[in-house]
Amino acid sequence: MIRVAVIGYGYWGPNLIRNFTGTQGVDMAVCCDLKPESLTGAKARHPWLRVTTDYNEVLKDKTIDAVAIATPLRTHYQLAKQALEHDKHVLVEKPLAATSLEADSLVTLAAKRGLTLMVDHTFVYCGAVRKIKELVAKGDLGALYYYDSVRINLGLFQLDCNVIWDLACHDIAILAHLMEEEPVSVSANGVCHVGNGIENVAYLTLRFASGFIAHIHNNWLAPVKLRTILLGGERKMIVYDDMEPSEKVKVFDRGVNVVTKEDLHRALVSYRLGDMWAPRLDPTEALSLLCKDFVKCITYQERPISDGAMGLRVVKVLEAADLSMKQDGKGIMV
């Protein structure tokens, strides 16, 4: 049995405890939070759960094999570092850390100690993204052209990170999972409307050496919640609408055919309008699969899908986006 402690019982902590409780091979043992009232709620929901406000108590407990950290971004590095130094496997809520130096330090430390370091990039485990990955890997879409994402809603305003670090990290992780290559440059524009200096609306563009381009729109001030991704390829195109109750992924056999007439020195474009189909998706909760992957990788010393290296790649892009926004959208090499 892998004995797990969840650190932080705010927005995401209850979901982690629920899924670890239902994961075979796990003893969901401890919940730690600085707020006694939060622990009262955890105890009411899970009477058998041990609770504490002292993180050191968790670190010193040699029966605890792993910790799952669901706390504000500014705390990720220190909490994860201390856990690794106490020989505990670590799952960190996204993003991995507040800087690439911190993220790289955690990846290095975990490798040195032979421990599993995993980042909670939950979307990578959802049925829709796994199906899209399958279609891309099979070559059904052909050469990939573009990725266009809209991820907007009213709130939740974060106190220690901007809208890109909160929302764009989902798409950056999905791209890291789907693509064989990494972005070469990032440009971003954002603005703050509430007077706290933290951007609440932002537009992010990632460029790749192959010519593939990704554009991400994030907004905490939208009147509606949208979670839509368009992925365009040479042969087929995909629309992924996470707000759809069914048929979240639709594959379109549509595109353009280009024929160059050398004597006319111009390209002739014809449009291909084929069928649309909605593949069947695995309905298993993404966080449940993530927790199972975490436990499996600890048990068999395997590499998680959303490992520390992926977390580091995501943080590097987020850092570049911040730097670009400070320079009015200038392209920043990653």
Side-chain angles (χ1 to χ4, degrees):
M1 296 292 286
I2 304 296
R3 300 193 78 236
V4 176
V6 168
I7 313 303
Y9 195 78
Y11 172 73
W12 200 239
N15 294 321
L16 286 168
I17 290 177
R18 174 174 55 82
N19 279 279
F20 275 123
T21 299
T23 300
Q24 187 175 2
V26 170
D27 175 10
M28 182 59 246
V30 183
C31 177
C32 176
D33 195 284
L34 292 176
K35 298 179 180 178
E37 59 271 25
S38 296
L39 296 178
T40 300
K43 193 74 172 175
R45 187 173 296 181
H46 309 284
W48 42 264
L49 192 64
R50 191 174 116 218
V51 298
T52 179
T53 58
D54 185 3
Y55 184 51
N56 287 316
E57 183 181 327
V58 176
L59 296 176
K60 294 176 181 177
D61 187 342
K62 294 183 179 181
T63 68
I64 299 297
D65 302 296
V67 298
I69 298 169
T71 58
L73 173 60
R74 64 182 180 276
T75 67
H76 287 185
Y77 173 68
Q78 283 298 333
L79 293 177
K81 178 174 178 288
Q82 290 174 17
L84 291 169
E85 288 174 341
H86 283 78
D87 292 319
K88 302 189 187 303
H89 304 279
V90 175
L91 170 64
V92 187
E93 188 180 11
K94 58 81 184 173
L96 174 56
T99 70
S100 60
L101 285 176
E102 290 179 350
D104 185 59
S105 174
L106 294 176
V107 172
T108 302
L109 180 59
K112 181 179 178 181
R113 290 183 171 265
L115 297 166
T116 297
L117 174 63
M118 186 173 178
V119 187
D120 191 351
H121 289 302
T122 313
F123 271 97
V124 171
Y125 291 84
C126 76
V129 173
R130 287 189 289 121
K131 176 57 70 174
I132 294 171
K133 171 70 173 178
E134 177 187 322
L135 295 172
V136 169
K138 286 167 54 181
D140 286 9
L141 276 68
L144 298 179
Y145 288 160
Y146 67 86
Y147 177 102
D148 202 332
S149 170
V150 178
R151 199 173 293 274
I152 64 177
N153 52 267
L154 189 61
L156 296 164
F157 277 74
Q158 304 295 319
L159 300 177
D160 60 351
C161 69
N162 61 35
V163 71
I164 287 179
W165 284 74
D166 180 41
L167 297 179
C169 63
H170 293 305
D171 292 291
I172 298 168
I174 291 171
L175 283 166
H177 185 51
L178 295 179
M179 301 293 294
E180 295 290 335
E181 57 179 333
E182 298 184 28
V184 295
S185 70
V186 179
S187 58
N189 286 285
V191 64
C192 172
H193 295 96
V194 296
N196 62 358
I198 298 175
E199 292 86 0
N200 48 254
V201 179
Y203 302 87
L204 174 66
T205 301
L206 286 68
R207 295 184 180 274
F208 295 73
S210 64
F212 181 82
I213 188 170
H215 186 262
I216 301 167
H217 171 203
N218 298 138
N219 189 343
W220 281 334
L221 287 177
V224 294
K225 182 175 182 178
L226 299 178
R227 296 286 186 271
T228 306
I229 294 171
L230 278 71
L231 181 62
E234 179 184 18
R235 297 195 191 104
K236 296 179 182 178
M237 302 178 182
I238 288 176
V239 175
Y240 166 28
D241 186 349
D242 195 51
M243 303 308 296
E244 277 283 338
S246 62
E247 298 187 348
K248 292 179 181 292
V249 174
K250 295 177 182 177
V251 183
F252 293 83
D253 185 11
R254 299 177 185 178
V256 296
N257 298 317
V258 181
V259 179
T260 302
K261 289 260 188 175
E262 294 183 3
D263 55 333
L264 298 176
H265 301 286
R266 65 189 178 91
L268 301 178
V269 179
S270 63
Y271 297 92
R272 186 181 70 258
L273 301 176
D275 294 333
M276 180 279 292
W277 63 286
R280 182 178 179 181
L281 306 179
D282 181 0
T284 306
E285 184 179 355
L287 186 56
S288 172
L289 295 176
L290 184 147
C291 291
K292 289 177 182 176
D293 192 27
F294 183 52
V295 173
K296 178 171 72 76
C297 291
I298 292 172
T299 304
Y300 298 105
Q301 297 183 332
E302 296 179 358
R303 179 178 176 181
I305 296 173
S306 60
D307 62 357
M310 176 187 280
L312 174 58
R313 288 172 64 185
V314 171
V315 172
K316 283 182 177 180
V317 174
L318 294 172
E319 267 189 340
D322 275 348
L323 187 57
S324 177
M325 283 195 293
K326 291 174 183 173
Q327 300 183 41
D328 296 324
K330 177 182 176 182
I332 304 297
M333 302 300 291
V334 181

